[in-house]
Amino acid sequence: MSARENAKQFWEFFESMESQIKEGLMNQNYAILNPCVEKLDDMCQEMTGCHFFVENIYDDFEITFDTGPNKTCQLMAQFFSQMAPVHIKKSWIINDCLPPLSSKAVLASIQIKDEQYSIQDFFVSFGVDDNQDLVHAKVYCPGYYLIDNTENKKEMSMYLLELALGQIAYEAYLSHIDFMDEPKEVEQFCPIIDFYDQLMDVVERKGWKQYNSPLDIYSVYQPIQDFAHDSLRKDMKMIFTTHPILLEETIENQNDVLADMESKQGEYGYIYYSNLYGNKQDALLRQQISTVIQKQLNKNEVGKVIGGAIGKSYSYIDIAVFDSSLFDIIFRKIKRQLDEKVELFYQKF
């Protein structure tokens, strides 16, 4: 099996219950709805590591893959969303990560001592860091003073902010998260359910970069090492990645992330080739080649470019592969397509 075959199987299973799910949502018939969603959630967790839920709060049928911050889960959720049959894409809004204020957020309930608090009982203060294009936030709840464990309050604040903002804004714009036991005079203060709109007002007003997915958020690194070393993956001078933990683990010869991807029937690897110029032109060529590779991966529903690097001797294009057998065929096509420019090689991490 492969992640690609898993995605097909998942949507076939969804199609077999789609009419029941829609009926359950329209009539709020949870006796019909819940068993269907529970089966899909179990299947989704096994195949992607994500939770799965449906809703129609705004009179549109919505499917959501709740990935959390795990990049492998995010990659799988995005791939499964892309693999959905056309008729499902036409009749459902498919969220490949948690959106702002989903039904999960609206229905969220937190018990503190003997009191129950909904998301409407939480407030947030925030300040803007113009140097980094980020926001720092503190969450306040009237019941926080009853909790002695500060880590619990911080984790609760992070969880509620993720629900309120959705995965993209949460990862893209928050630099620091804390809590308050009592409200204080601060730069800005609002109900947590209004925080997304206020945050995006800041983003638009200041012209910060906006994202369509948490997988569009790149980190850039310059390794501290002796660049006299020119062997494979040891010569990297500039690294850019949407998956920092994969990068860190592969540099340190750890394999937790690799094993996580393998358990979901995919793999991480990299395409590489020898640099041609030894100057800035190598970066431009790498970008051109990366674009060609991503187009072919998209066209054949087989993988995604997740970053890469420029090295002393080699250039690298890191990818997530969702069907290794099909990828082998597509990679041979890519090699032939780019044969006049460079000789490409593929290596699994």
Side-chain angles (χ1 to χ4, degrees), residues 231-336:
S231 63
L232 205 61
R233 299 299 290 195
K234 301 292 185 182
D235 67 331
M236 297 184 295
K237 298 185 292 185
M238 181 66 72
I239 305 169
F240 17 91
T241 183
T242 61
H243 200 329
I245 296 177
L246 172 66
L247 171 68
E248 293 165 11
E249 286 199 0
T250 52
I251 288 175
E252 296 173 3
N253 296 316
Q254 298 176 0
N255 62 4
D256 288 348
V257 171
L258 302 180
D260 186 26
M261 177 59 110
E262 287 179 4
S263 73
K264 297 173 177 60
Q265 310 301 315
E267 71 180 43
Y268 289 114
Y270 57 93
I271 295 168
Y272 67 96
Y273 59 90
S274 297
N275 290 331
L276 300 183
Y277 304 107
N279 56 37
K280 291 181 179 179
Q281 283 185 270
D282 285 323
L284 295 174
L285 178 62
R286 199 214 72 87
Q287 184 57 48
Q288 292 169 4
I289 291 172
S290 177
T291 300
V292 170
I293 290 170
Q294 185 59 72
K295 285 181 179 178
Q296 286 295 331
L297 297 180
N298 285 344
K299 179 181 177 181
N300 294 279
E301 301 174 330
V302 72
K304 180 179 176 66
V305 173
I306 58 173
I310 301 292
K312 177 186 175 186
S313 303
Y314 303 98
S315 286
Y316 307 92
I317 298 160
D318 299 343
I319 58 175
V321 175
F322 304 119
D323 186 321
S324 57
S325 297
L326 180 57
F327 172 76
D328 288 344
I329 298 170
I330 302 308
F331 180 58
R332 287 197 289 273
K333 291 182 180 179
I334 294 171
K335 279 173 64 71
R336 289 195 297 270

Side-chain angles (χ1 to χ4, degrees), residues 10-284:
F10 175 83
W11 289 116
E12 287 171 4
F13 192 50
F14 178 88
E15 286 176 301
S16 71
M17 295 186 288
E18 183 180 8
S19 59
Q20 293 172 273
I21 292 171
K22 285 184 173 180
E23 180 186 345
L25 285 170
M26 288 187 294
N27 300 319
Q28 296 185 351
N29 187 335
Y30 299 109
I32 292 176
L33 180 64
N34 288 347
C36 295
V37 175
E38 286 171 7
K39 290 175 183 176
L40 285 162
D41 182 50
D42 288 343
M43 191 176 189
C44 188
Q45 283 189 68
E46 182 178 351
M47 291 179 169
T48 71
C50 309
H51 281 289
F52 172 91
F53 63 91
V54 296
E55 56 190 327
N56 66 335
I57 293 178
Y58 306 109
D59 297 325
D60 289 314
F61 293 115
E62 291 194 41
I63 292 166
T64 296
F65 292 87
D66 187 1
T67 65
N70 184 301
K71 292 298 171 186
T72 301
C73 294
Q74 290 176 3
L75 284 161
M76 285 295 172
Q78 186 180 79
F79 179 64
F80 271 51
S81 299
Q82 292 167 351
M83 288 288 290
V86 172
H87 76 87
I88 292 178
K89 290 179 179 178
K90 287 181 177 179
S91 59
W92 291 81
I93 296 170
I94 304 177
N95 302 306
D96 58 17
C97 63
L98 190 69
L101 287 175
S102 65
S103 63
K104 182 179 179 180
V106 173
L107 300 173
S109 180
I110 304 292
Q111 184 165 342
I112 301 175
K113 301 295 184 180
D114 297 325
E115 294 293 327
Q116 205 77 19
Y117 296 87
S118 72
I119 196 168
Q120 285 83 6
D121 298 313
F122 289 80
F123 301 83
V124 59
S125 70
F126 64 99
V128 177
D129 182 346
D130 286 312
N131 293 324
Q132 299 186 65
D133 292 354
L134 294 171
V135 164
H136 51 85
K138 289 185 178 182
V139 174
Y140 165 72
C141 172
Y144 266 2
Y145 79 96
L146 297 170
I147 303 175
D148 295 326
N149 190 313
T150 58
E151 283 302 311
N152 286 351
K153 285 185 277 193
K154 187 168 183 178
E155 288 175 8
M156 194 179 298
S157 299
M158 294 168 68
Y159 172 70
L160 289 165
L161 281 172
E162 185 179 42
L163 290 180
L165 296 178
Q167 200 66 44
I168 300 173
Y170 180 80
E171 291 191 27
Y173 304 120
L174 290 190
S175 64
H176 179 72
I177 300 170
D178 213 334
F179 64 89
M180 294 186 297
D181 285 334
E182 58 183 48
K184 299 176 182 178
E185 290 186 9
V186 290
E187 293 180 41
Q188 299 190 62
F189 195 80
C190 68
I192 200 169
I193 57 173
D194 296 332
F195 185 34
Y196 176 77
D197 288 336
Q198 293 204 21
L199 174 60
M200 294 311 295
D201 283 344
V202 172
V203 171
E204 291 176 15
R205 188 171 70 250
K206 293 183 176 291
W208 293 356
K209 184 174 177 60
Q210 297 191 42
Y211 303 92
N212 295 316
S213 164
L215 295 167
D216 295 338
I217 303 170
Y218 272 84
S219 299
V220 180
Y221 301 87
Q222 287 183 289
I224 302 172
Q225 63 183 39
D226 180 2
F227 291 119
H229 207 317
D230 59 1
S231 63
L232 205 61
R233 299 299 290 195
K234 301 292 185 182
D235 67 331
M236 297 184 295
K237 298 185 292 185
M238 181 66 72
I239 305 169
F240 17 91
T241 183
T242 61
H243 200 329
I245 296 177
L246 172 66
L247 171 68
E248 293 165 11
E249 286 199 0
T250 52
I251 288 175
E252 296 173 3
N253 296 316
Q254 298 176 0
N255 62 4
D256 288 348
V257 171
L258 302 180
D260 186 26
M261 177 59 110
E262 287 179 4
S263 73
K264 297 173 177 60
Q265 310 301 315
E267 71 180 43
Y268 289 114
Y270 57 93
I271 295 168
Y272 67 96
Y273 59 90
S274 297
N275 290 331
L276 300 183
Y277 304 107
N279 56 37
K280 291 181 179 179
Q281 283 185 270
D282 285 323
L284 295 174

